[in-house]
mmCIF file of all heavy atoms in Angstrom:
data_model
loop_
_atom_site.group_PDB
_atom_site.id
_atom_site.type_symbol
_atom_site.label_atom_id
_atom_site.label_comp_id
_atom_site.label_asym_id
_atom_site.label_seq_id
_atom_site.Cartn_x
_atom_site.Cartn_y
_atom_site.Cartn_z
ATOM 1 N N GLU A 1 8.764 -14.951 -3.801
ATOM 2 C CA GLU A 1 9.979 -14.497 -3.107
ATOM 3 C C GLU A 1 9.956 -12.996 -2.852
ATOM 4 O O GLU A 1 10.331 -12.545 -1.717
ATOM 5 C CB GLU A 1 11.252 -14.875 -3.830
ATOM 6 C CG GLU A 1 12.549 -14.385 -3.276
ATOM 7 C CD GLU A 1 12.844 -15.032 -1.889
ATOM 8 O OE1 GLU A 1 12.213 -16.062 -1.553
ATOM 9 O OE2 GLU A 1 13.683 -14.421 -1.195
ATOM 10 N N GLY A 2 9.546 -12.258 -3.829
ATOM 11 C CA GLY A 2 9.394 -10.796 -3.654
ATOM 12 C C GLY A 2 8.373 -10.409 -2.578
ATOM 13 O O GLY A 2 8.566 -9.495 -1.867
ATOM 14 N N LEU A 3 7.271 -11.236 -2.448
ATOM 15 C CA LEU A 3 6.239 -10.970 -1.426
ATOM 16 C C LEU A 3 6.843 -11.217 -0.012
ATOM 17 O O LEU A 3 6.453 -10.528 0.969
ATOM 18 C CB LEU A 3 5.074 -11.896 -1.638
ATOM 19 C CG LEU A 3 3.894 -11.732 -0.755
ATOM 20 C CD1 LEU A 3 3.299 -10.330 -0.853
ATOM 21 C CD2 LEU A 3 2.794 -12.693 -1.105
ATOM 22 N N ARG A 4 7.747 -12.151 0.051
ATOM 23 C CA ARG A 4 8.429 -12.342 1.360
ATOM 24 C C ARG A 4 9.322 -11.119 1.768
ATOM 25 O O ARG A 4 9.425 -10.748 2.904
ATOM 26 C CB ARG A 4 9.308 -13.620 1.304
ATOM 27 C CG ARG A 4 8.571 -14.950 1.235
ATOM 28 C CD ARG A 4 9.670 -16.012 1.472
ATOM 29 N NE ARG A 4 8.962 -17.350 1.515
ATOM 30 C CZ ARG A 4 9.148 -18.269 0.562
ATOM 31 N NH1 ARG A 4 10.030 -18.047 -0.460
ATOM 32 N NH2 ARG A 4 8.586 -19.445 0.630
ATOM 33 N N ARG A 5 9.979 -10.531 0.768
ATOM 34 C CA ARG A 5 10.913 -9.463 1.019
ATOM 35 C C ARG A 5 10.131 -8.153 1.299
ATOM 36 O O ARG A 5 10.589 -7.368 2.207
ATOM 37 C CB ARG A 5 11.807 -9.224 -0.132
ATOM 38 C CG ARG A 5 12.754 -10.314 -0.479
ATOM 39 C CD ARG A 5 13.424 -10.246 -1.808
ATOM 40 N NE ARG A 5 14.477 -11.239 -2.048
ATOM 41 C CZ ARG A 5 15.762 -11.062 -1.786
ATOM 42 N NH1 ARG A 5 16.158 -9.837 -1.414
ATOM 43 N NH2 ARG A 5 16.629 -11.977 -2.019
ATOM 44 N N GLN A 6 9.124 -7.838 0.601
ATOM 45 C CA GLN A 6 8.324 -6.603 0.819
ATOM 46 C C GLN A 6 6.933 -6.797 0.408
ATOM 47 O O GLN A 6 6.648 -7.085 -0.776
ATOM 48 C CB GLN A 6 8.981 -5.460 -0.051
ATOM 49 C CG GLN A 6 8.247 -4.178 0.065
ATOM 50 C CD GLN A 6 8.309 -3.607 1.498
ATOM 51 O OE1 GLN A 6 9.358 -3.419 2.053
ATOM 52 N NE2 GLN A 6 7.131 -3.393 2.119
ATOM 53 N N ARG A 7 6.018 -6.680 1.338
ATOM 54 C CA ARG A 7 4.613 -6.834 1.060
ATOM 55 C C ARG A 7 3.940 -5.541 0.663
ATOM 56 O O ARG A 7 3.961 -4.632 1.379
ATOM 57 C CB ARG A 7 3.923 -7.448 2.266
ATOM 58 C CG ARG A 7 2.472 -7.966 2.000
ATOM 59 C CD ARG A 7 1.849 -8.574 3.211
ATOM 60 N NE ARG A 7 0.588 -9.226 2.843
ATOM 61 C CZ ARG A 7 0.441 -10.440 2.404
ATOM 62 N NH1 ARG A 7 1.595 -11.153 2.111
ATOM 63 N NH2 ARG A 7 -0.698 -10.967 2.102
ATOM 64 N N PRO A 8 3.475 -5.469 -0.625
ATOM 65 C CA PRO A 8 2.752 -4.278 -0.973
ATOM 66 C C PRO A 8 1.568 -4.008 -0.074
ATOM 67 O O PRO A 8 0.967 -4.931 0.475
ATOM 68 C CB PRO A 8 2.328 -4.576 -2.430
ATOM 69 C CG PRO A 8 3.197 -5.687 -2.904
ATOM 70 C CD PRO A 8 3.536 -6.483 -1.705
ATOM 71 N N SER A 9 1.162 -2.757 0.067
ATOM 72 C CA SER A 9 0.034 -2.431 0.885
ATOM 73 C C SER A 9 -0.566 -1.091 0.461
ATOM 74 O O SER A 9 0.067 -0.238 -0.074
ATOM 75 C CB SER A 9 0.607 -2.228 2.326
ATOM 76 O OG SER A 9 -0.481 -1.827 3.207
ATOM 77 N N VAL A 10 -1.926 -1.042 0.685
ATOM 78 C CA VAL A 10 -2.627 0.258 0.476
ATOM 79 C C VAL A 10 -2.088 1.188 1.571
ATOM 80 O O VAL A 10 -1.736 0.823 2.656
ATOM 81 C CB VAL A 10 -4.136 0.098 0.614
ATOM 82 C CG1 VAL A 10 -4.676 -0.798 -0.493
ATOM 83 C CG2 VAL A 10 -4.542 -0.433 1.954
ATOM 84 N N CYS A 11 -2.107 2.529 1.202
ATOM 85 C CA CYS A 11 -1.542 3.522 2.097
ATOM 86 C C CYS A 11 -2.572 4.473 2.715
ATOM 87 O O CYS A 11 -2.330 5.209 3.637
ATOM 88 C CB CYS A 11 -0.511 4.346 1.352
ATOM 89 S SG CYS A 11 0.976 3.397 0.919
ATOM 90 N N ASN A 12 -3.798 4.515 2.109
ATOM 91 C CA ASN A 12 -4.903 5.294 2.686
ATOM 92 C C ASN A 12 -6.146 4.459 2.673
ATOM 93 O O ASN A 12 -6.288 3.569 1.829
ATOM 94 C CB ASN A 12 -5.109 6.613 1.966
ATOM 95 C CG ASN A 12 -5.609 6.380 0.528
ATOM 96 O OD1 ASN A 12 -4.943 5.831 -0.287
ATOM 97 N ND2 ASN A 12 -6.831 6.884 0.241
ATOM 98 N N ARG A 13 -7.106 4.808 3.498
ATOM 99 C CA ARG A 13 -8.298 4.039 3.581
ATOM 100 C C ARG A 13 -9.531 4.711 3.143
ATOM 101 O O ARG A 13 -9.603 5.945 3.304
ATOM 102 C CB ARG A 13 -8.563 3.578 5.063
ATOM 103 C CG ARG A 13 -7.536 2.541 5.558
ATOM 104 C CD ARG A 13 -7.953 2.017 6.912
ATOM 105 N NE ARG A 13 -6.968 1.115 7.449
ATOM 106 C CZ ARG A 13 -7.236 0.309 8.561
ATOM 107 N NH1 ARG A 13 -8.391 0.369 9.148
ATOM 108 N NH2 ARG A 13 -6.290 -0.447 9.018
ATOM 109 N N LEU A 14 -10.504 4.033 2.568
ATOM 110 C CA LEU A 14 -11.792 4.569 2.306
ATOM 111 C C LEU A 14 -12.840 3.622 3.043
ATOM 112 O O LEU A 14 -12.536 2.474 3.171
ATOM 113 C CB LEU A 14 -12.145 4.534 0.813
ATOM 114 C CG LEU A 14 -11.315 5.486 -0.055
ATOM 115 C CD1 LEU A 14 -11.809 5.297 -1.573
ATOM 116 C CD2 LEU A 14 -11.475 6.931 0.303
ATOM 117 N N ASP A 15 -13.926 4.251 3.504
ATOM 118 C CA ASP A 15 -14.942 3.379 4.083
ATOM 119 C C ASP A 15 -15.387 2.340 3.112
ATOM 120 O O ASP A 15 -15.294 2.489 1.845
ATOM 121 C CB ASP A 15 -16.152 4.228 4.490
ATOM 122 C CG ASP A 15 -15.839 5.267 5.662
ATOM 123 O OD1 ASP A 15 -14.946 4.940 6.447
ATOM 124 O OD2 ASP A 15 -16.397 6.297 5.672
ATOM 125 N N ARG A 16 -16.004 1.298 3.640
ATOM 126 C CA ARG A 16 -16.432 0.133 2.858
ATOM 127 C C ARG A 16 -17.331 0.692 1.652
ATOM 128 O O ARG A 16 -17.182 0.238 0.491
ATOM 129 C CB ARG A 16 -17.159 -0.880 3.628
ATOM 130 C CG ARG A 16 -17.677 -2.058 2.862
ATOM 131 C CD ARG A 16 -18.748 -2.841 3.626
ATOM 132 N NE ARG A 16 -18.144 -3.546 4.725
ATOM 133 C CZ ARG A 16 -17.747 -4.857 4.679
ATOM 134 N NH1 ARG A 16 -17.844 -5.450 3.487
ATOM 135 N NH2 ARG A 16 -17.278 -5.459 5.729
ATOM 136 N N ASN A 17 -18.276 1.571 1.992
ATOM 137 C CA ASN A 17 -19.247 2.027 0.981
ATOM 138 C C ASN A 17 -18.846 3.359 0.385
ATOM 139 O O ASN A 17 -19.746 3.960 -0.277
ATOM 140 C CB ASN A 17 -20.636 2.102 1.639
ATOM 141 C CG ASN A 17 -21.163 0.703 1.950
ATOM 142 O OD1 ASN A 17 -20.956 -0.251 1.192
ATOM 143 N ND2 ASN A 17 -21.848 0.568 3.025
ATOM 144 N N THR A 18 -17.600 3.733 0.449
ATOM 145 C CA THR A 18 -17.106 4.850 -0.328
ATOM 146 C C THR A 18 -16.236 4.303 -1.457
ATOM 147 O O THR A 18 -15.383 3.426 -1.275
ATOM 148 C CB THR A 18 -16.322 5.803 0.507
ATOM 149 O OG1 THR A 18 -17.117 6.338 1.599
ATOM 150 C CG2 THR A 18 -15.741 6.985 -0.274
ATOM 151 N N SER A 19 -16.474 4.835 -2.716
ATOM 152 C CA SER A 19 -15.696 4.321 -3.850
ATOM 153 C C SER A 19 -14.660 5.371 -4.102
ATOM 154 O O SER A 19 -14.581 6.488 -3.651
ATOM 155 C CB SER A 19 -16.614 4.182 -5.062
ATOM 156 O OG SER A 19 -17.245 5.370 -5.380
ATOM 157 N N GLY A 20 -13.691 4.939 -5.060
ATOM 158 C CA GLY A 20 -12.717 5.909 -5.526
ATOM 159 C C GLY A 20 -11.268 5.533 -5.272
ATOM 160 O O GLY A 20 -10.900 4.384 -5.036
ATOM 161 N N ILE A 21 -10.439 6.565 -5.342
ATOM 162 C CA ILE A 21 -8.965 6.398 -5.413
ATOM 163 C C ILE A 21 -8.381 5.921 -4.053
ATOM 164 O O ILE A 21 -8.599 6.585 -3.002
ATOM 165 C CB ILE A 21 -8.311 7.659 -5.858
ATOM 166 C CG1 ILE A 21 -8.730 8.037 -7.266
ATOM 167 C CG2 ILE A 21 -6.762 7.528 -5.781
ATOM 168 C CD1 ILE A 21 -8.164 9.361 -7.732
ATOM 169 N N VAL A 22 -7.619 4.859 -4.152
ATOM 170 C CA VAL A 22 -6.826 4.393 -3.012
ATOM 171 C C VAL A 22 -5.407 4.232 -3.433
ATOM 172 O O VAL A 22 -5.125 3.689 -4.548
ATOM 173 C CB VAL A 22 -7.329 2.999 -2.452
ATOM 174 C CG1 VAL A 22 -6.360 2.431 -1.430
ATOM 175 C CG2 VAL A 22 -8.747 3.137 -1.909
ATOM 176 N N THR A 23 -4.441 4.785 -2.790
ATOM 177 C CA THR A 23 -3.081 4.709 -3.053
ATOM 178 C C THR A 23 -2.454 3.424 -2.461
ATOM 179 O O THR A 23 -2.903 3.024 -1.417
ATOM 180 C CB THR A 23 -2.242 5.922 -2.636
ATOM 181 O OG1 THR A 23 -2.304 6.009 -1.129
ATOM 182 C CG2 THR A 23 -2.856 7.161 -3.242
ATOM 183 N N ALA A 24 -1.444 2.869 -3.183
ATOM 184 C CA ALA A 24 -0.787 1.680 -2.631
ATOM 185 C C ALA A 24 0.697 1.708 -3.032
ATOM 186 O O ALA A 24 1.038 2.088 -4.087
ATOM 187 C CB ALA A 24 -1.483 0.406 -3.208
ATOM 188 N N GLY A 25 1.546 1.242 -2.125
ATOM 189 C CA GLY A 25 2.952 1.093 -2.371
ATOM 190 C C GLY A 25 3.330 -0.322 -2.730
ATOM 191 O O GLY A 25 2.920 -1.224 -2.014
ATOM 192 N N ILE A 26 4.081 -0.501 -3.767
ATOM 193 C CA ILE A 26 4.592 -1.816 -4.118
ATOM 194 C C ILE A 26 5.950 -2.096 -3.519
ATOM 195 O O ILE A 26 6.134 -3.138 -2.949
ATOM 196 C CB ILE A 26 4.669 -1.953 -5.644
ATOM 197 C CG1 ILE A 26 3.317 -1.707 -6.374
ATOM 198 C CG2 ILE A 26 5.130 -3.356 -6.029
ATOM 199 C CD1 ILE A 26 3.401 -1.679 -7.857
ATOM 200 N N THR A 27 6.801 -1.138 -3.520
ATOM 201 C CA THR A 27 8.149 -1.243 -3.015
ATOM 202 C C THR A 27 8.265 -0.430 -1.747
ATOM 203 O O THR A 27 7.363 0.422 -1.409
ATOM 204 C CB THR A 27 9.196 -0.764 -3.960
ATOM 205 O OG1 THR A 27 8.982 0.702 -4.224
ATOM 206 C CG2 THR A 27 9.098 -1.452 -5.340
ATOM 207 N N LEU A 28 9.382 -0.587 -1.026
ATOM 208 C CA LEU A 28 9.638 0.261 0.177
ATOM 209 C C LEU A 28 9.640 1.735 -0.177
ATOM 210 O O LEU A 28 9.101 2.564 0.544
ATOM 211 C CB LEU A 28 10.917 -0.187 0.779
ATOM 212 C CG LEU A 28 11.318 0.587 2.050
ATOM 213 C CD1 LEU A 28 10.322 0.316 3.248
ATOM 214 C CD2 LEU A 28 12.698 0.169 2.560
ATOM 215 N N ARG A 29 10.279 2.038 -1.305
ATOM 216 C CA ARG A 29 10.346 3.466 -1.815
ATOM 217 C C ARG A 29 8.917 4.007 -1.952
ATOM 218 O O ARG A 29 8.586 5.139 -1.562
ATOM 219 C CB ARG A 29 11.107 3.576 -3.055
ATOM 220 C CG ARG A 29 11.301 4.892 -3.608
ATOM 221 C CD ARG A 29 11.980 4.935 -4.950
ATOM 222 N NE ARG A 29 13.261 4.262 -4.981
ATOM 223 C CZ ARG A 29 13.484 3.131 -5.597
ATOM 224 N NH1 ARG A 29 12.509 2.508 -6.325
ATOM 225 N NH2 ARG A 29 14.652 2.540 -5.548
ATOM 226 N N GLY A 30 8.067 3.200 -2.610
ATOM 227 C CA GLY A 30 6.712 3.608 -2.877
ATOM 228 C C GLY A 30 5.925 3.825 -1.569
ATOM 229 O O GLY A 30 5.199 4.789 -1.415
ATOM 230 N N LEU A 31 6.046 2.837 -0.697
ATOM 231 C CA LEU A 31 5.302 2.920 0.595
ATOM 232 C C LEU A 31 5.732 4.141 1.466
ATOM 233 O O LEU A 31 4.889 4.881 1.999
ATOM 234 C CB LEU A 31 5.535 1.628 1.435
ATOM 235 C CG LEU A 31 4.881 0.358 0.936
ATOM 236 C CD1 LEU A 31 5.499 -0.861 1.530
ATOM 237 C CD2 LEU A 31 3.384 0.421 1.200
ATOM 238 N N GLN A 32 7.102 4.388 1.484
ATOM 239 C CA GLN A 32 7.537 5.449 2.289
ATOM 240 C C GLN A 32 7.194 6.802 1.667
ATOM 241 O O GLN A 32 6.803 7.780 2.371
ATOM 242 C CB GLN A 32 9.095 5.400 2.451
ATOM 243 C CG GLN A 32 9.552 4.280 3.292
ATOM 244 C CD GLN A 32 11.085 4.150 3.377
ATOM 245 O OE1 GLN A 32 11.802 4.589 2.495
ATOM 246 N NE2 GLN A 32 11.587 3.475 4.446
ATOM 247 N N GLY A 33 7.201 6.928 0.367
ATOM 248 C CA GLY A 33 6.932 8.178 -0.313
ATOM 249 C C GLY A 33 5.417 8.583 -0.152
ATOM 250 O O GLY A 33 5.082 9.705 0.167
ATOM 251 N N LEU A 34 4.550 7.536 -0.409
ATOM 252 C CA LEU A 34 3.084 7.830 -0.193
ATOM 253 C C LEU A 34 2.807 8.150 1.259
ATOM 254 O O LEU A 34 1.948 8.996 1.519
ATOM 255 C CB LEU A 34 2.263 6.645 -0.678
ATOM 256 C CG LEU A 34 2.239 6.363 -2.217
ATOM 257 C CD1 LEU A 34 1.609 5.044 -2.510
ATOM 258 C CD2 LEU A 34 1.527 7.466 -2.860
ATOM 259 N N SER A 35 3.361 7.402 2.178
ATOM 260 C CA SER A 35 3.058 7.731 3.635
ATOM 261 C C SER A 35 3.535 9.135 3.940
ATOM 262 O O SER A 35 2.859 9.787 4.720
ATOM 263 C CB SER A 35 3.883 6.706 4.498
ATOM 264 O OG SER A 35 3.391 5.409 4.312
ATOM 265 N N GLU A 36 4.621 9.590 3.348
ATOM 266 C CA GLU A 36 5.123 10.890 3.697
ATOM 267 C C GLU A 36 4.193 12.005 3.191
ATOM 268 O O GLU A 36 3.734 12.887 3.919
ATOM 269 C CB GLU A 36 6.477 11.064 2.945
ATOM 270 C CG GLU A 36 7.055 12.494 3.076
ATOM 271 C CD GLU A 36 8.251 12.723 2.250
ATOM 272 O OE1 GLU A 36 8.887 11.698 1.815
ATOM 273 O OE2 GLU A 36 8.659 13.891 2.025
#
């Protein structure tokens, strides 16, 4: 039910063959803050 309401998503991309930190928002607050 939570997935229907708000789908978590990664907020920045790395190339397929680049490793390391990717940020992701779980809630709308998290998605908007990271995007900002």
Side-chain angles (χ1 to χ4, degrees):
E1 176 65 18
L3 184 59
R4 289 191 178 116
R5 292 169 175 263
Q6 179 61 58
R7 192 173 186 87
S9 177
V10 297
C11 294
N12 67 294
R13 293 190 184 190
L14 295 179
D15 293 330
R16 180 196 289 267
N17 290 324
T18 299
S19 58
I21 297 176
V22 174
T23 63
I26 303 173
T27 64
L28 180 64
R29 185 187 303 112
L31 289 164
Q32 290 177 337
L34 288 171
S35 296
E36 175 188 345

